[in-house]
Amino acid sequence: MLSYAFTFMMIELADSASMLIDGLIISNFLGPTALAVTGLGNTSFQMISLFCSIFAVGIQSACSAKMGAGDTKKTSELFSGGCIVVAIIAAVVTILGFMNLDPLCLLLGADGSDKALYDGLHEYLRGWFVGIPGFIAFTVLSPIVTLDGNKKCVTAATIVQSVLNLTFDYLAAAVFHTGTWGFGFATGFGFDIAALVLISNFFRKRSSFRFSFCFLKKSDLFGMMRTGLPRLTKYGCKMLAPLLINRTILAIGGSAAMAAMSVKSSIGNFCLVVGSGIAESVNLMSQVYYSEKDKAALRATAKNALKYNMILGTVFAAV
């Protein structure tokens, strides 16, 4: 279980690391207003996660149940149909994102009263939205690749994303001077390449998943949506809270206060990595054990989750 937990922690770190890296470099090269931009822009991660989270959990749960039952054909059918649905969602969200940059800036809290903040956020989103397809693919495929037994691929994809983000952030700030657009592009491009790393897993001969152009049955589609509904609720709450808080902070303290909030949010998300990683590993393993009707393994999984959460959480807090 611990190896799965560490893999999912790496996945969670990809989001947190992107925010931390952007914040560190932007604060040193572009100042507090640009740092406030990243604080507002980070909420867009939750907004986009809202669209794909329901299928990220739904596909994983459906596939793990069929894998546990030994039905490899149905597993590949669910995987293929789910990926087609997610690809359509990614295309629609990307197009709508680029078409509605101005309304999105207003929604995220930049109402135009601070022109530098508004323009910076507009450019940040324009660069970052290049990576919407990659971000959605990374979110959906990471647990599938883990389920496929290739945890190293997930780790490699996470490292690639972080390294590319860091490298292009520095180039944008110190070499090309592209402003907030460059920082947004660095994050988006990193997720695009990380998604390609994950996709390479399915070309392995040992992969249990074989893609084919088949569409989900209505019962399978609604089943995935029901399974993913709790995750949808989670990201909905994670999105709504910052939208309200950010507006309040900007109204009271302006860009400087929003910059401080950006740092606080990044550290807070980083601290949630342990709990989220263990929870995701429990979700994955319990689906397999439940389909196998292995009550002993389910009880052991619950005990190990509590134990590792206490141990790793304490270590993480101490560090």
Side-chain angles (χ1 to χ4, degrees):
M1 177 185 176
L2 197 57
S3 62
Y4 283 106
F6 278 124
T7 301
F8 282 110
M9 286 180 203
M10 291 294 292
I11 297 171
E12 294 291 331
L13 273 173
D15 288 351
S16 300
S18 294
M19 298 175 189
L20 284 171
I21 290 168
D22 283 350
L24 286 170
I25 298 180
I26 286 177
S27 62
N28 281 284
F29 283 92
L30 299 183
T33 299
L35 184 58
V37 164
T38 62
L40 295 175
N42 287 342
T43 307
S44 65
F45 281 80
Q46 277 77 49
M47 294 178 66
I48 296 168
S49 296
L50 189 68
F51 292 100
C52 64
S53 60
I54 189 168
F55 285 102
V57 175
I59 296 172
Q60 172 197 329
S61 299
C63 289
S64 60
K66 293 302 177 183
M67 282 187 73
D71 192 344
T72 55
K73 182 180 178 182
K74 185 62 176 179
T75 299
S76 291
E77 288 179 0
L78 292 170
F79 164 71
S80 301
C83 285
I84 290 173
V85 172
V86 170
I88 294 171
I89 292 173
V92 171
V93 172
T94 302
I95 293 170
L96 290 177
F98 277 111
M99 290 176 62
N100 294 278
L101 287 173
D102 290 328
L104 279 172
C105 289
L106 294 174
L107 178 64
L108 292 172
D111 58 7
S113 58
D114 186 333
K115 190 175 186 306
L117 182 68
Y118 182 90
D119 291 344
L121 180 59
H122 187 282
E123 290 302 295
Y124 182 83
L125 294 178
R126 190 167 65 87
W128 144 230
F129 281 179
V130 171
I132 288 178
F135 177 74
I136 291 178
F138 183 88
T139 302
V140 173
L141 293 180
S142 292
I144 300 297
V145 174
T146 304
L147 182 63
D148 203 18
N150 195 2
K151 296 186 287 293
K152 291 182 179 179
C153 183
V154 178
T155 303
T158 305
I159 293 173
V160 165
Q161 194 280 330
S162 298
V163 170
L164 286 176
N165 190 17
L166 177 62
T167 302
F168 279 86
D169 272 351
Y170 180 78
L171 290 174
V175 179
F176 299 112
H177 306 290
T178 53
T180 55
W181 176 89
F183 289 98
F185 177 81
T187 300
F189 182 72
F191 275 115
D192 286 337
I193 301 302
L196 293 177
V197 174
L198 293 178
I199 290 171
S200 70
N201 167 78
F202 303 109
F203 291 94
R204 297 185 308 146
K205 290 183 179 180
R206 290 186 296 171
S207 175
S208 301
F209 298 91
R210 291 288 177 258
F211 181 82
S212 60
F213 286 97
C214 61
F215 293 94
L216 290 173
K217 295 179 181 178
K218 187 182 294 185
S219 58
D220 292 330
L221 177 63
F222 286 121
M224 288 182 181
M225 293 175 69
R226 282 195 301 272
T227 305
L229 193 59
R231 181 67 64 86
L232 183 71
T233 305
K234 169 189 171 182
Y235 278 106
C237 294
K238 285 182 70 175
M239 179 189 72
L240 288 174
L243 286 177
L244 297 174
I245 293 172
N246 291 349
R247 287 180 176 275
T248 303
I249 290 174
L250 284 170
I252 296 174
S255 296
M258 189 63 232
M261 183 64 184
S262 175
V263 176
K264 179 261 182 188
S265 298
S266 296
I267 295 173
N269 290 328
F270 188 76
C271 292
L272 290 173
V273 164
V274 170
S276 298
I278 292 176
E280 292 292 343
S281 65
V282 170
N283 181 55
L284 175 64
M285 296 173 69
S286 61
Q287 289 288 337
V288 176
Y289 294 144
Y290 183 79
S291 64
E292 295 175 346
K293 296 181 173 55
D294 191 340
K295 293 182 179 180
L298 285 170
R299 285 193 291 268
T301 299
K303 290 179 181 178
N304 287 331
L306 291 173
K307 178 177 69 175
Y308 291 136
N309 192 51
M310 289 293 294
I311 295 172
L312 295 177
T314 302
V315 172
F316 205 82
V319 172

